[in-house]
Amino acid sequence: MKKLKDLDLSIELDKKMYKKKIKMLQYEILNAQQFLFNNKIGLIIAFEGMDAAGKGGAIKRLTERVDPRGLLVTPISAPQPHEKRYHYMHRFWRKLPQHGQIAIFDRSWYGRVLVERIEGFATEEEWKRAYGEINDFEKQLTDEDYIMIKFWIHIDEDEQLKRFNERAHDPYKAWKLTDEDWRNREKFSLYSEAADEMFAKTDTENAPWCLIPGNNKLYARVQVLKEVMAHIEKEVARRGLHITNVLERQQEEIEAAEHEEVATTGEAVVAQVKKNKVKKKKSK
């Protein structure tokens, strides 16, 4: 069973290795996007996690090189008054991607069992019932032409406080910090407990949770891209398909050409040696 306490938040990745890995993974994501488009398979990615955990930064790196025409990024906040006239899942159905598109949710339908549960916006009966509703919702999608993966990016309380203070003193990031963030910080342990229960009840084979250590932003970003690619490859293989990695194919072609050139050169050398031997015999 996945639990937040089992995450190793001390994992780090140095900047040089990060730059090398992130670029390669971004091109793999672009390649996968084109594959999904051509095969009309939709991809849905949901991001949850503690405030200031790095969800926005991970989404930015995930989408940096993809074709924006096939991408939808939807930030989720409190429902608007007109949305409250419907079942709470209604607004998420309306934001689903077409087959062949990618949709990323920055916060998601899991608000029902997180913030709505903890802040009292949903009754106990409503949020307890939501686990089954969410599992049914996700299964309907993955039984059809969608792939789904869910991320929880986690940081500890000390790291969160550090990032809050950095935001408060940075005029270009201050807009990210609200009074609500400070209030939520006081309920850090409650959100952790709710998250662990959420993983236990909604971590499924068709729509798995990936828990990402986020104290080191560079590691978290690379790991998110790795997990996305691994899940896509697993799901397309289950459908009897295979993604050809363009970069690997190009490298293989280069290596094959080099091997052929070496072999040809070797044959030419052997032929020249034989020719020289024939000339020597004739001269004698």
Side-chain angles (χ1 to χ4, degrees), residues 222-237:
V222 166
Q223 201 61 24
V224 165
L225 270 67
K226 277 186 177 179
E227 294 289 353
V228 168
M229 277 306 306
H231 190 61
I232 292 173
E233 289 171 351
K234 174 187 171 185
E235 285 298 307
V236 300

Side-chain angles (χ1 to χ4, degrees), residues 32-44 70 97-103 141-142 144-148 231-233 235-243:
Q33 181 194 29
Q34 299 306 309
F35 177 90
L36 295 174
F37 173 76
N38 291 330
N39 287 277
K40 297 296 179 265
I41 299 172
L43 174 62
I44 300 170
Q98 299 174 25
H99 295 152
Q101 288 187 332
I102 298 173
L141 295 172
T142 57
E144 211 209 21
D145 293 319
Y146 289 98
I147 295 171
M148 183 178 293
H231 190 61
I232 292 173
E233 289 171 351
E235 285 298 307
V236 300
R238 188 174 62 80
R239 291 166 167 80
L241 302 171
H242 174 70
I243 298 178

Side-chain angles (χ1 to χ4, degrees), residues 126-143:
E126 287 174 332
W127 64 257
K128 283 186 174 180
R129 185 177 70 231
Y131 295 120
E133 294 170 340
I134 287 170
N135 286 335
D136 290 342
F137 165 68
E138 293 175 350
K139 190 149 193 326
Q140 286 178 63
L141 295 172
T142 57
D143 278 352

